[in-house]
Amino acid sequence: MFLYIGVSRFKERSSEIMSGIPLDAGKVVYVLGAGFSIPAGAPTQAQILGDILELDGWNAKVTDAKTRLEAFLINDLRISRNDIPQIALEDVYTPIDRCIADGTAFKSKNAADLKQIREDLGYLISVAISRRITKRLNFGDADGSYIHAFAEYIVAKAAKRAELAKNAKDSSLAKAYDPLAIISLNWDILLDNAIHSALHDRDPVIEGDYDPFGVVDYCCYISSVDAGDMRMRSGLWSLGCRGYNVKLLKLHGSMNWLQCPNCQRLFVQYGLKEEILERVGDTCCRHCLKSGYENPLAGSLVMPTFLKDLTNFQVKLVWQNAGVELMEAKHLVFIGYSLPNADFEFRQLLSRMVHQNATIEVVLRKGDSDEDIRRYETTKERYRQFFGDRQTVFHSNGVTDFVGKHVAL
Ligand SMILES: [Zn+2]
C-alpha cells in the first residue's frame, strides 16, 4: 500500500496535480476536520442544531434535555424557533460560557442552570450526530468504506514497528520508527471504530497482557469502561510489549470518551455510539467506587465556543502531544478541514509548531455550485496565506476520491 503526495509543488505552487513522492520520506501528520466524516454520514456543524430539533422518540433523557434547551434558546436567547437551525453553535455556547466563567446569571438562568443546559446540549449533539450517521448509512446515501480503507492503511503502516521490535535485542530501530499520527477535530468515532476493528483483524486472538498487539493511542491516560478489557491498554504499555500504537489525537474530545468528574480518569469504549451515550450519567467510575465514592461518568467533548475550556487535564495532554507531533511532521495532510478563524487555538498551535520546511497537502471538496466553488477558493486562499511560502498542494475532489486514488492496498 502506498500513499503519495504531490511533487508538482516543486514546479508550480498550489497545483492540484498529484504524482510521486512516497510519504515514507518522513513523518506524516493527518489533520482531520468535519469533511473527513461527512461522506460517511456525519453532519456538518451547521446541521447539528437543526438535527437536535428533529430528535424525538429516543428516550426520556433526550426529551427532557431537548425541552430545557429549546426553552433556553427561545425564552432567554430570544431566537425564534424557525431560526434555530441556522444559529451557529458558537453563538449558543459563548454567552453560556462567559456567564459560567464570570459566575453571573444569564437573564433568569443562574450558573447551575447554565451548566445543566451546557450538559444537555453536549449530550444532544452526540445523539444527533449518531442518529444522522445511522440514518444515512441505513438509507444508503452514505458510505464509510473509504474510512475503513484509510484505517487499514494506517494500521498496516503502524504495525511495522512490531515487526522491528520482534526478537530484537536493540530497541533503536523500533524506537526510530514513528511514521505517522492523526490529529482529529471531530467528535464522531467512525475512524476510531474502523482503526480498532483493523487492529482486531490483525490480531484476532489475544492470550495475555504482554501480547504484542496494536492499540488506538489517544495520547492521554485512558481506562476501559468495563474492567478486564485486555484490548484497552495505553500506547506506551503496548510499545513496551513490543506491540504498536496508532496515534489518534482528538483535540475536541470524543463521543466514546467518558470522564470521571472526581478522579478525572478518562474511560473509553468502542462500538455503538448509542450504547456509549446511554452510560453518561448512569455508569459510575469503577475506580472511585472502590473507595466508596459514587461518581457518574460525564461526556467529554470540547464544545464550539469562543471561550474554549482547555484546562481539562486529559485534553491538555492531548493538545501538548499534538504540538509535538506537528513539530516532528515532515508532511501535513489536512483532510476536510477549512482552517476557520474560529479555531484560533488550533491555528496558534499550528503556527507555533509546524516546521518551517514542512510540506502541506490539503484535501477539500470543491463542489459544483457557485457558492461551493467560492467557499473552496476562499479556504484555499486562507491556507495559502497561513502557511506562507511552504510548499502546498490542493486536492479538490474530497476525501473519498483522495483515499481511493492515493491510499491503495
Ligand atoms: Zn473516578
Side-chain angles (χ1 to χ4, degrees):
M1 189 186 281
F2 296 97
L3 180 57
Y4 290 104
I5 62 165
V7 288
S8 48
R9 64 171 72 99
F10 298 111
K11 298 169 192 154
E12 183 192 357
R13 281 186 53 212
S14 303
S15 165
E16 286 170 11
I17 306 160
M18 289 270 294
S19 64
I21 290 188
L23 286 178
D24 294 332
K27 184 185 250 190
V28 185
V29 171
Y30 298 90
V31 178
L32 311 182
F36 178 82
S37 300
I38 287 170
T44 64
Q45 195 164 301
Q47 290 170 320
I48 290 177
L49 271 179
D51 283 6
I52 287 176
L53 285 193
E54 284 170 24
L55 289 176
D56 53 15
W58 181 277
N59 60 26
K61 204 149 103 186
V62 167
T63 313
D64 292 349
K66 206 178 123 185
T67 308
R68 282 191 294 264
L69 176 67
E70 276 188 63
F72 175 73
L73 294 175
I74 294 167
N75 301 334
D76 294 297
L77 282 184
R78 310 302 296 173
I79 299 167
S80 98
R81 200 179 188 287
N82 291 339
D83 289 340
I84 292 175
Q86 280 84 52
I87 300 297
L89 279 171
E90 280 91 349
D91 289 337
V92 179
Y93 272 110
T94 308
I96 294 177
D97 288 347
R98 183 77 269 168
C99 291
I100 292 175
D102 292 348
T104 55
F106 188 92
K107 298 183 183 168
S108 67
K109 301 286 184 290
N110 63 30
D113 298 331
L114 292 171
K115 277 190 180 154
Q116 177 66 57
I117 291 162
R118 207 177 188 290
E119 269 172 39
D120 289 339
L121 188 47
Y123 172 69
L124 291 170
I125 285 174
S126 295
V127 174
I129 292 174
S130 167
R131 267 253 175 129
R132 179 178 276 262
I133 293 172
T134 311
K135 217 179 341 186
R136 284 192 56 202
L137 289 174
N138 287 347
F139 285 147
D141 65 345
D143 181 358
S145 53
Y146 70 93
I147 293 189
H148 286 277
F150 184 71
E152 278 162 25
Y153 165 77
I154 295 288
V155 168
K157 194 146 184 165
K160 282 186 191 158
R161 177 154 175 158
E163 289 166 27
L164 294 170
K166 195 174 179 182
N167 301 324
K169 284 220 173 358
D170 178 353
S171 66
S172 53
L173 270 182
K175 273 187 181 162
Y177 185 77
D178 185 20
L180 59 92
I182 301 166
I183 295 176
S184 173
L185 293 110
N186 299 338
W187 297 311
D188 74 75
I189 55 171
L190 291 164
L191 182 60
D192 315 43
N193 280 338
I195 295 174
H196 189 65
S197 138
L199 291 166
H200 182 279
D201 291 349
R202 285 187 87 86
D203 293 290
V205 182
I206 296 174
E207 286 166 353
D209 287 333
Y210 292 101
D211 282 12
F213 57 91
V215 291
V216 174
D217 187 355
Y218 286 120
C219 297
C220 55
Y221 297 111
I222 59 149
S223 304
S224 56
V225 179
D226 301 309
D229 185 344
M230 278 165 76
R231 271 189 196 276
M232 208 69 78
R233 67 185 187 188
S234 75
L236 285 176
W237 175 254
S238 213
L239 295 178
C241 296
R242 298 179 194 250
Y244 58 100
N245 60 342
V246 177
K247 286 181 265 187
L248 177 57
L249 298 107
K250 300 192 82 170
L251 298 180
H252 292 162
S254 185
M255 284 165 59
N256 63 338
W257 293 1
L258 300 172
Q259 194 166 21
C260 171
N262 189 38
C263 68
Q264 304 288 302
R265 281 186 173 90
L266 203 62
F267 294 84
V268 172
Q269 191 181 341
Y270 297 97
L272 286 175
K273 293 175 198 74
E274 290 84 346
E275 285 172 13
I276 302 165
L277 290 171
E278 286 321 301
R279 305 189 92 151
V280 175
D282 289 334
T283 303
C284 284
C285 170
R286 59 187 168 86
H287 296 289
C288 284
L289 215 49
K290 279 183 226 159
S291 304
Y293 310 127
E294 284 189 21
N295 289 95
L297 301 179
S300 186
L301 302 182
V302 177
M303 295 308 179
T305 163
F306 291 113
L307 297 165
K308 275 197 185 69
D309 179 9
L310 301 175
T311 55
N312 181 305
F313 171 73
Q314 306 285 5
V315 172
K316 263 185 130 120
L317 257 181
V318 175
W319 278 74
Q320 190 264 335
N321 279 311
V324 173
E325 297 299 332
L326 288 171
M327 188 181 264
E328 292 175 355
K330 292 278 185 291
H331 310 286
L332 281 164
V333 184
F334 292 85
I335 306 180
Y337 181 60
S338 64
L339 197 65
N341 292 330
D343 282 354
F344 54 87
E345 288 98 345
F346 183 52
R347 287 169 60 106
Q348 79 84 17
L349 191 73
L350 289 170
S351 70
R352 193 153 56 93
M353 294 304 204
V354 173
H355 194 282
Q356 58 184 4
N357 296 328
T359 51
I360 313 294
E361 205 159 353
V362 185
V363 180
L364 297 164
R365 184 162 181 77
K366 192 172 190 172
D368 302 318
S369 71
D370 289 349
E371 197 190 330
D372 285 345
I373 294 168
R374 205 165 31 245
R375 192 180 303 125
Y376 170 78
E377 293 299 337
T378 309
T379 304
K380 213 171 140 180
E381 184 57 18
R382 194 156 50 238
Y383 269 100
R384 201 193 55 72
Q385 288 176 3
F386 188 88
F387 287 108
D389 58 3
R390 292 183 184 92
Q391 289 153 340
T392 307
V393 170
F394 292 91
H395 304 273
S396 59
N397 292 326
V399 57
T400 313
D401 179 81
F402 178 79
V403 171
K405 281 187 182 150
H406 306 292
V407 181
L409 275 168

